[in-house]
Amino acid sequence: MLIQLSIKNFAVVRDLTVNFDQGLTAITGETGAGKSIAIDALSLCLGERADAGSVRKEATKAEIVAHFTVCDNANALAWLKEHELESEDDGETCFIRRVISKEGRSKAFVNGSPVSLQQLKVFGQSLLAIHGQNTHLQLLKDDVQRNHLDNFANHKELQNTVITTFDHWREKQKRLSELQQQAQTRADRRQLLVYQVEELDDFALADKEFEELETEHKRLSNGQALLEQAQTSFYNLYENDEGNALSVIQNSLERLVQLQEHDASLSPIITMLNDASIQVEEAASELRSYCDALEIDPLRLQQVESRYSKCMELARKHNIEPESLYEFHQQLAMEFKQLEDEDTQLETLEAEVQEAKADYLKAATLLSDSRQQAARSFAENIESQIQRMNMKHACVVVDVDFNSDKTPAAQGLDDVRMLVSTNPGQDPDRLDKVVSGGELSRIGLAIQVLASGKNAIPTMIFDEVDAGISGPTASIVGALLRKLGSHSQVMCVTHLPQVAAQAHNQLFVTKLTDGESTQTMMLALAEQERVDELARLLAGDKVTETALANARELLKNSGSN
C-alpha cells in the first residue's frame, strides 16, 4: 500500500509530504485548492507522461517520491526481483521517484535505479489504480464491459487458453498468407529453374571437374610440342653420342677424381658432380617414361575441348566464374527443391490453419460458456448494488453474444454488452443511451465493490466518482467506499460530507498565499477538525451550530468515530 507521498515544486505545491493509512481516506477541501494534485503526482509515478508546465514557477525541476509497502504484494515483489530492483534495506518497501525538469525532460527511478516509463507503467499496475470520472466513461466501451465480466468470472485459465490458441492460429495464418502471396513469384521462379536445373543436370559437371578439364585441355592441345621438346631434352641429356649432359659430367668427374690425391679441396666438387650425375640420369629416365606415356589423341582432345567449351559457355550464361559452376548448379537444385517443398508446405499449412482455428474455436466456446454462466450473477450483483444507491427500479442485463463467424481475436468471439433500464416498463438498453453521468458513476462504483474481493491491487484512488449524486445516495456510496476500504487502501477525493464521514481517515487540502505566490498544503484532520470540515461541506462558508451537530451525527452514524 501507499505509505508516503512527497511532492516538491509540482504545480502549486512547494514542498509537501503526506503519510497515508490503511482503510478509506477522504480528501476534501475548497474548490480550486488542489485536491487532485496528489492524484496527478501519483499518475506520474505510474508512468504518465510529464509536462514542463507542471513544474512550479521559478523552480528548475519538480520531484515526486512515493513510498509503498510491498511485503504482501506478490506481483510487485516478483517484478522487483525480475528486474533486480529489490530494496537493499528490508525488501518489504520500495519507492518510486520521478523528476521533471522545466524543459520537460523527465527521469524515473525505482529504489534509486533508473527505469523506463514503460517499465514504470507495468510496475505501477501492481501498486495502485486510479479511478476518475473518465474511468467511468470508459465503462461505455464494450471491451471494458467484457473485461469487467471476465474479472468477475475469474476464468483466467480459459482466457489464457484462448490467447495461446489465438497466437498459434495467427502464426500459422500469417505464414500461410505469406506463402499464398508469394505463390505467383514462386511459380515464375520455378518455371525458370526447371530449364536451368535440367540443363545443368544434363551437363552433370562433377566437383572440381572444370579444373581437371582445364589441365587436360592444356596438355592435349600442346601434346606434339610437349613430346618433341621432351624427346629433345632426353636426347641432349642422355643419348647424344657426340656429347650428352650425362657423359660430360661423368668425364669431368673422372678427371677430378684423379686429381683429388693432389688436392683434397676438390672433394666437395666431386661430391656435387656425383650427385648431379645421379640427378641427370634419373631425370633422363623420367623423361623417357614421360615420352612413352604421352599420348597424342585427337579424339580425346575433341571430347575435352567440347566439354571445356560448354563449361565456359554455361559460366558466361549465368554470369559466374567457370570454377563456380558446380557449386552454382547445387544451389539452383537446392532452391528448386525448396520451392517444391513450399508448394507441399502450402497444402500442409492450409490443413494446419484449419486445425489451429478449430482449437481456437473450442477454447473460445468454453470461454463464452463461462462468460454466459457468470453474466447473470454479475448483472444481479450490479443491480442489487445500484438499487441501494437510489436506482430502485434499475434492471441490469449483461448480454453475451457468441459469433463463430467473427475473425478470431485474443479476447474470444463474444460481444459483451451491459444493458440497463432505470425506469419501470423501459426495456434495457446500452449505457450511453440510458444512464446519466451520476448513474454511470454508481454503476462503476458497484463494479469496483464487486471486484474488491478479487482485486490484487492494494491501493485504489477515486477522483470525485461521487459527482452527480447527493442525499441518501451519497451516504450509500460512502458506505460502499468504506466497504472497499476494508479490503484495500482506498482514497477518495470528494465534496460530499456523507462520503467523507464514512472515511477512516480524512485529509484536508488548503491553499495559502502571501500575495506573491501560492502553495497547496494537505493536512491530516483530527476528530474535531473533521467535524468542522464536515460542517463546512454541509453548510458552506457559514458554519452553524446546526451544521456542526449534523456533522457529529454523520460521523457517529458512519462508525468512523
Side-chain angles (χ1 to χ4, degrees), residues 394-436:
C395 174
V396 179
V397 176
V398 177
D399 183 40
V400 180
D401 181 20
F402 180 78
N403 184 357
S404 59
D405 294 328
K406 285 178 63 175
T407 302
Q411 299 79 24
L413 297 172
D414 292 315
D415 290 322
V416 177
R417 289 178 298 273
M418 187 179 296
L419 309 176
V420 175
S421 168
T422 56
N423 300 307
Q426 181 185 50
D427 292 332
D429 206 343
R430 298 178 65 90
L431 296 181
D432 55 347
K433 295 182 179 180
V434 175
V435 301
S436 64

Side-chain angles (χ1 to χ4, degrees), residues 377-387 389 396 398 418 443 446-447 450:
S377 177
F378 186 48
E380 289 175 350
N381 277 273
I382 296 173
E383 188 176 290
S384 174
Q385 294 287 357
I386 62 176
Q387 284 178 352
M389 289 184 277
V396 179
V398 177
M418 187 179 296
I443 294 172
I447 291 173
L450 292 177

Side-chain angles (χ1 to χ4, degrees), residues 5-208:
L5 177 66
S6 297
I7 306 172
K8 291 183 180 179
N9 298 320
F10 179 70
V12 294
V13 175
R14 179 180 289 122
D15 192 347
L16 175 65
T17 298
V18 186
N19 295 316
F20 296 93
D21 296 314
Q22 185 62 274
L24 172 62
T25 297
I27 302 174
T28 62
E30 298 176 356
T31 301
K35 296 189 292 295
S36 296
I37 283 180
I39 296 176
D40 294 338
L42 284 169
S43 295
L44 290 174
C45 289
L46 298 181
E48 290 297 320
R49 291 198 172 275
D51 180 4
S54 62
V55 179
R56 184 179 169 86
K57 187 178 180 182
E58 298 179 357
T60 58
K61 64 180 181 179
E63 182 179 71
I64 299 131
V65 181
H67 289 262
F68 297 85
T69 58
V70 292
C71 53
D72 297 323
N73 192 332
N75 291 334
L77 288 171
W79 189 92
L80 289 169
K81 183 176 181 180
E82 178 186 352
H83 293 83
E84 299 181 350
L85 292 172
E86 302 102 317
S87 170
E88 295 180 358
D89 298 331
D90 53 14
E92 296 184 350
T93 62
C94 78
F95 70 92
I96 296 174
R97 177 170 168 255
R98 188 81 185 271
V99 181
I100 305 104
S101 72
K102 64 180 181 180
E103 293 81 18
R105 296 187 298 272
S106 76
K107 296 179 181 179
F109 305 85
V110 172
N111 286 335
S113 298
V115 295
S116 67
L117 289 188
Q118 183 58 37
Q119 288 176 312
L120 200 57
K121 283 184 179 181
V122 174
F123 182 46
Q125 291 173 2
S126 64
L127 298 174
L128 187 147
I130 298 175
H131 304 278
Q133 295 184 56
N134 185 56
T135 306
H136 293 325
L137 291 176
Q138 296 293 312
L139 189 57
L140 299 175
K141 298 180 179 179
D142 290 350
D143 59 336
V144 174
Q145 295 176 13
R146 183 192 61 241
N147 290 339
H148 283 308
L149 174 59
D150 286 336
N151 291 337
F152 178 83
N154 196 26
H155 44 210
K156 197 67 180 177
E157 187 174 338
L158 290 174
Q159 289 178 273
N160 290 336
T161 303
V162 169
I163 292 171
T164 301
T165 54
F166 168 74
D167 289 341
H168 182 64
W169 169 82
R170 183 171 58 176
E171 181 183 345
K172 295 288 186 183
Q173 182 64 42
K174 181 181 178 182
R175 179 59 182 149
L176 177 62
S177 297
E178 289 174 353
L179 286 177
Q180 288 173 336
Q181 290 170 7
Q182 298 165 2
Q184 187 57 50
T185 303
R186 287 199 315 276
D188 294 341
R189 180 62 176 164
R190 187 172 59 251
Q191 186 175 3
L192 174 63
L193 287 179
V194 166
Y195 168 73
Q196 292 180 329
V197 172
E198 282 183 357
E199 184 179 40
L200 291 170
D201 283 345
D202 291 341
F203 187 60
L205 183 71
D207 189 18
K208 305 298 182 184

